[in-house]
Amino acid sequence: MVRKLPFLFVFLAFSLSSYAQNLQLIASLRKKAVGSLGKERFDVLNDLAWEYRSSYPDSTIYFAKEAYSIGQNLKLTTGLAEPLNFIGVAYNYKGNRLKSYNAYDEALKISTQYHDSLQLAYCNNNLGRLFFEQGILPRAYDYFIKAQAIFEDINDPSGLAYTYQSLARLYKSQRDLIKSENNYLKANKIRMQLGNAPDIISAFIQTGRFYQESREDQKALDYLHRADSIASAIPDEIYLAETKSYIAKGLLNQGRIKEAREMCEQALKVIVQKNNIRMQPQAYIIMGQVELADNNFKLAKNDFTTALNIATNSKDLASRMDAHFNLWKSSELDNNKSAEIMNMNQYLILKDSIKDLDLTREVERFQFQIDIAKKDQENELLKVEQGRKEAIIKQQRLQNILLIIVVGFVSIIGFIQWRSSKRRREINEKLEQQNKFIQNQRQEIVDQNEKLFRRNHQLSDLNHEKDTLMGIVAHDLKSPLNRIKGLADLMELEGGLVENQHQYLKMTKDATQSGLDLIMDLLDAHKIEEDVVPNYSSFDISQFLLDKIRSFTPAAESKGIHLHINKIESEQIDMDANYLHRIIDNLLTNAIKFSDRNTSIEISATKSGDELMISLKDQGQGFTEKDKQQLFQKFKKLSARQTAGESSNGLGLAIVKTLVDRLKGKIELVSDPGKGSQFTVRLPVTRNI
């Protein structure tokens, strides 16, 4: 790239007047830039552009343009918008708002094009600050909110802190002090987490000044003292002097004159030594206000006069007006009428000048809005024209594509016809072979079907033989078991048995009864599987359940279990009473078997529309998740154990499920291990076959 000036010469020219810049950092960057190439040179030039932004914006523009040219040559995507952002900042410092807007707008387009979220966020924040400084608050707010959202999305705390501070200033200008304070505090929190001392000091000073302007002097002093502590530790003398000036102002507002004097003297000493013209007028004015508060009229007048002279030489109109105002008030207290009138007149003249200046600025702001609107309109026209051209290009591309498609389609049809004639013969030969194979497969399927038919017939005969054999065995086993039970009953009636014999006799009776129960369950399960159509009859559900509870009361009371009727409504229902009898029997039996002594079982029954709901809730051992998966399978022993040594064969719940399904109903379980169980049976009370 051809340069107007040699690079080193530019460095020397700009380094001679780098007042208020970080000279050490600039020197380091200048040395690094001499031998750098490619991406490294791009980054160094950007860093230099940033360092020169406030005091020498022309230098920023030069270095940023150099960086942008290098970035274009390197075909960078990430970070290419950064030098454009710096150019916008520089033009804003120079007071050329329109060029600043153009640079930001170009940066916005490039960062959007390359999906560079970081630079896109800074573009929005910079545009927001530009519009805020021109008093166009709605557009400024929109840009700040966009910047905040992007910084949050990419998790960039430093950028987010800048945005919070921008929003804080905007809310303060609208006198929304609560939102302004919240944003300042959010920025402070982030700055503290990042740990960069100058950023922390700046954030605390801004927050302290906010509280001073809000007349919350103690809060202001707290933040200013914290800034003072950090500035003392770095140390940064200029930051320290600025902080002490604001602290002195806060102490003076609280009437702490002695402390204010000490703080202001320390600040003024550094400011004068460093010859910081920008800060001197306000520092002398604060010192004069301290002397005035201590009734030292002569010293106060000297300080105000010094401030006036410095402000006049540096063309600081606001400080001049402030100095004349304080000289006016001090002369009034000192009863010096001529000085009072002279300074009052000068103050009013300057005030009118500032009003004229404000009016000029309003005109400039209005012109800026007009220029921006014109620029936006031009952009819209360019977009429309670009859209029209793109539509024409798309149409031409579409026509070319259609032509290619037609040519290709014709070629494909010709090729397909040639291939079809060739493959047709091959396909016919394959079809003939496949037909032979299919015929063989069909014959094999017929043979397999015949074998399956014979096997199914054999299985049916075996299943019937098994059912018959099970019935015979079950009935044949019942007789000897009943005889054993009868002999045990006779031996018990005859008496004369010792304690051990009674125990053995009880064990014999229990074992015999368990065998009989198992046989009855097997016969029930076998019979239920054979039954198809329920035998419906009409009966009162309340009376049915009361009878059932009375029949189970002795078994429950033997374990101290209370059968509690929660709610049983008297309703006439149409249902198979035998099926319902078996369902309730099995559920109550299980509840008593698996409940601890001295607990209760709640039974309720309600009818809603055409549905009967019966609920049995116990305080037993409950069911695990594994139990619930095997709940209604035959012969499955679950995790719960009988609490009084009762027998269980694992058929009860399987029978219940079969009967409920036969009645077109549903059974539900609510249970946790150790917390009891609640079975709910829902049955239609009308025939549904």
Side-chain angles (χ1 to χ4, degrees):
M1 176 181 177
V2 179
R3 295 176 175 81
K4 294 181 180 178
L5 294 171
F7 189 71
L8 284 174
F9 175 76
V10 174
F11 269 128
L12 290 171
F14 291 151
S15 64
L16 292 175
S17 54
S18 56
Y19 173 74
Q21 303 298 297
N22 190 331
L23 299 178
Q24 185 177 0
L25 177 58
I26 289 174
S28 173
L29 291 171
R30 182 178 62 195
K31 183 177 179 181
K32 188 176 180 181
V34 172
S36 62
L37 295 171
K39 180 64 166 60
E40 183 183 7
R41 186 178 180 82
F42 173 82
D43 292 335
V44 173
L45 291 175
N46 274 326
D47 291 340
L48 278 167
W50 177 250
E51 290 302 320
Y52 279 115
R53 68 193 181 279
S54 57
S55 293
Y56 295 97
D58 287 330
S59 304
T60 294
I61 294 168
Y62 177 82
F63 289 124
K65 285 182 177 180
E66 289 279 320
Y68 182 66
S69 178
I70 293 171
Q72 285 182 311
N73 292 335
L74 294 174
K75 297 181 179 179
L76 298 180
T77 55
T78 302
L80 183 59
E82 184 176 20
L84 293 174
N85 266 324
F86 292 162
I87 291 171
V89 171
Y91 276 123
N92 195 20
Y93 275 117
K94 284 170 65 70
N96 195 328
R97 313 301 182 189
L98 189 58
K99 283 190 175 182
S100 176
Y101 174 80
N102 290 337
Y104 289 147
D105 189 53
E106 186 65 22
L108 191 67
K109 291 175 183 176
I110 291 175
S111 56
T112 302
Q113 178 184 351
Y114 293 121
H115 306 288
D116 188 350
S117 298
L118 179 62
Q119 292 305 317
L120 182 61
Y122 278 114
C123 287
N124 280 287
N125 189 64
N126 289 336
L127 282 165
R129 292 180 64 180
L130 179 64
F131 282 106
F132 171 69
E133 290 166 5
Q134 296 305 305
I136 310 172
L137 301 187
R139 292 193 67 175
Y141 178 79
D142 290 341
Y143 281 117
F144 287 149
I145 292 301
K146 288 178 184 177
Q148 178 184 348
I150 299 171
F151 280 130
E152 287 175 347
D153 186 54
I154 64 177
N155 193 24
D156 186 296
S158 179
L160 196 56
Y162 278 122
T163 306
Y164 284 144
Q165 288 174 331
S166 298
L167 284 168
R169 286 191 290 270
L170 186 145
Y171 287 130
K172 184 171 70 173
S173 71
Q174 294 181 314
R175 306 307 298 165
D176 191 340
L177 300 183
I178 294 176
K179 288 184 179 179
S180 180
E181 179 185 25
N182 288 339
N183 280 278
Y184 274 127
L185 295 179
K186 288 178 183 178
N188 290 351
K189 184 177 180 181
I190 293 173
R191 295 300 189 202
M192 289 292 290
Q193 290 172 347
L194 294 177
N196 183 280
D199 287 344
I200 296 171
I201 296 169
S202 175
F204 284 168
I205 289 175
Q206 288 188 50
T207 307
R209 293 187 65 187
F210 164 77
Y211 283 125
Q212 272 191 347
E213 293 171 12
S214 303
R215 303 299 183 184
E216 296 186 59
D217 292 322
Q218 190 54 51
K219 285 186 178 180
L221 284 172
D222 290 342
Y223 277 97
L224 292 171
H225 278 304
R226 291 167 70 182
D228 181 65
S229 299
I230 299 171
S232 299
I234 298 178
D236 187 314
E237 290 184 304
I238 293 298
Y239 261 137
L240 197 59
E242 184 178 15
T243 306
K244 290 183 183 297
S245 295
Y246 293 129
I247 292 174
K249 183 70 174 176
L251 292 170
L252 183 61
N253 290 341
Q254 290 187 336
R256 297 158 65 179
I257 299 172
K258 184 179 179 181
E259 296 173 70
R261 181 191 301 279
E262 292 175 0
M263 197 64 66
C264 192
E265 285 175 348
Q266 293 176 28
L268 190 57
K269 180 180 179 182
V270 174
I271 292 169
V272 172
Q273 285 178 349
K274 298 296 181 181
N275 195 27
N276 191 312
I277 302 300
R278 179 182 62 86
M279 297 173 63
Q280 282 185 22
Q282 285 302 313
Y284 275 111
I285 287 172
I286 295 172
M287 192 71 244
Q289 289 173 343
V290 171
E291 299 293 359
L292 190 63
D294 204 17
N295 294 322
N296 297 322
F297 299 112
K298 184 177 181 180
L299 293 176
K301 181 181 177 181
N302 289 338
D303 289 328
F304 293 144
T305 303
T306 303
L308 177 61
N309 293 333
I310 297 170
T312 302
N313 292 332
S314 62
K315 298 180 181 180
D316 184 349
L317 189 61
S319 295
R320 281 180 62 198
M321 186 175 73
D322 201 5
H324 276 299
F325 177 81
N326 282 280
L327 284 168
W328 166 22
K329 293 302 177 182
S330 61
S331 298
E332 184 179 10
L333 292 172
D334 196 25
N335 202 23
N336 187 340
K337 292 296 181 180
S338 60
E340 176 187 348
I341 294 170
M342 186 270 291
N343 283 291
M344 180 181 68
N345 290 333
Q346 289 297 321
Y347 168 76
L348 294 175
I349 291 169
L350 290 173
K351 188 175 181 181
D352 290 337
S353 299
I354 288 179
K355 286 182 181 179
D356 293 339
L357 183 60
D358 288 340
L359 182 60
T360 303
R361 288 175 179 171
E362 285 296 324
V363 173
E364 289 176 356
R365 290 176 182 176
F366 183 69
Q367 184 61 44
F368 174 75
Q369 288 180 279
I370 293 173
D371 291 339
I372 294 298
K374 187 186 298 182
K375 182 71 176 177
D376 290 342
Q377 188 176 13
E378 290 174 358
N379 288 338
E380 289 299 322
L381 291 174
L382 287 173
K383 288 179 181 178
V384 171
E385 181 64 21
Q386 184 179 1
R388 188 181 67 82
K389 290 180 179 178
E390 288 177 355
I392 293 172
I393 292 171
K394 286 181 180 178
Q395 185 177 5
Q396 290 175 347
R397 286 177 181 172
L398 182 60
Q399 290 173 353
N400 293 335
I401 291 170
L402 288 174
L403 181 60
I404 293 170
I405 290 173
V406 170
V407 173
F409 184 69
V410 172
S411 301
I412 290 170
I413 289 175
F415 177 75
I416 289 173
Q417 287 178 344
W418 175 77
R419 288 285 296 171
S420 296
S421 61
K422 181 180 177 181
R423 295 188 62 184
R424 193 175 294 115
R425 293 189 299 272
E426 297 174 354
I427 291 170
N428 289 335
E429 292 174 0
K430 288 182 180 179
L431 284 174
E432 187 175 353
Q433 293 175 359
Q434 288 177 355
N435 285 334
K436 291 179 181 179
F437 178 75
I438 290 170
Q439 289 297 330
N440 294 333
Q441 290 291 320
R442 284 179 178 172
Q443 186 59 43
E444 187 176 346
I445 290 170
V446 170
D447 295 340
Q448 290 293 334
N449 284 338
E450 290 179 358
K451 289 179 183 179
L452 286 173
F453 177 76
R454 289 194 297 272
R455 183 63 58 85
N456 287 336
H457 186 69
Q458 291 173 0
L459 289 174
S460 179
D461 291 342
L462 288 172
N463 190 46
H464 179 70
E465 185 178 345
K466 180 265 297 180
D467 291 341
T468 304
L469 182 60
M470 187 182 72
I472 293 170
V473 170
H475 283 95
D476 288 348
L477 284 174
K478 282 177 63 177
S479 296
L481 288 174
N482 279 324
R483 285 198 295 273
I484 292 171
K485 186 173 183 298
L487 288 171
D489 290 338
L490 286 174
M491 291 173 67
E492 190 174 22
L493 288 172
E494 287 182 359
L497 301 174
V498 297
E499 184 177 352
N500 285 344
Q501 291 172 332
H502 273 294
Q503 185 176 358
Y504 296 149
L505 189 62
K506 183 178 181 304
M507 292 170 63
T508 302
K509 290 173 67 179
D510 290 344
T512 304
Q513 187 61 47
S514 295
L516 288 170
D517 291 342
L518 176 59
I519 290 169
M520 291 301 295
D521 286 342
L522 286 170
L523 291 173
D524 282 348
H526 177 63
K527 185 176 180 182
I528 287 168
E529 289 176 353
E530 290 180 346
D531 291 341
V532 177
V533 180
N535 182 19
Y536 285 88
S537 62
S538 182
F539 58 90
D540 186 276
I541 184 61
S542 175
Q543 188 61 46
F544 177 88
L545 290 177
L546 289 173
D547 292 342
K548 187 59 61 182
I549 291 167
R550 278 195 290 269
S551 68
F552 275 89
T553 298
E557 289 180 347
S558 68
K559 293 179 69 174
I561 295 173
H562 175 59
L563 298 180
H564 175 65
I565 301 173
N566 187 25
K567 183 179 182 182
I568 297 181
E569 298 177 353
S570 179
E571 296 283 354
Q572 200 73 14
I573 64 171
D574 192 18
M575 192 174 294
D576 189 312
N578 185 38
Y579 279 12
L580 188 59
H581 167 81
R582 293 180 185 178
I583 292 169
I584 302 302
D585 275 2
N586 279 294
L587 291 177
L588 271 174
T589 300
N590 277 357
I592 294 171
K593 279 183 184 180
F594 297 102
S595 291
D596 293 327
R597 295 180 178 276
N598 302 319
T599 58
S600 64
I601 299 172
E602 295 183 4
I603 303 100
S604 64
T606 57
K607 180 185 174 188
S608 176
D610 292 334
E611 184 182 65
L612 173 68
M613 185 176 72
I614 301 173
S615 174
L616 281 84
K617 183 178 181 181
D618 63 49
Q619 299 173 348
Q621 302 166 46
F623 294 89
T624 65
E625 291 301 319
K626 184 178 179 182
D627 290 340
K628 293 176 183 179
Q629 296 175 3
Q630 303 174 346
L631 194 62
F632 300 114
Q633 299 178 21
K634 292 182 181 179
F635 303 108
K636 288 291 183 183
K637 296 290 184 72
L638 305 178
S639 62
R641 293 290 177 263
Q642 300 87 341
T643 56
E646 299 95 332
S647 64
S648 176
N649 51 51
L651 282 171
L653 290 176
I655 292 171
V656 169
K657 185 67 167 68
T658 302
L659 293 173
V660 170
D661 290 344
R662 190 71 54 77
L663 292 171
K664 310 297 183 185
K666 294 180 182 178
I667 183 168
E668 301 167 354
L669 170 63
V670 177
S671 177
D672 289 312
K675 296 183 181 180
S677 307
Q678 180 175 356
F679 282 96
T680 302
V681 179
R682 301 177 184 273
L683 300 169
V685 294
T686 56
R687 303 187 187 194
N688 185 17
I689 302 172

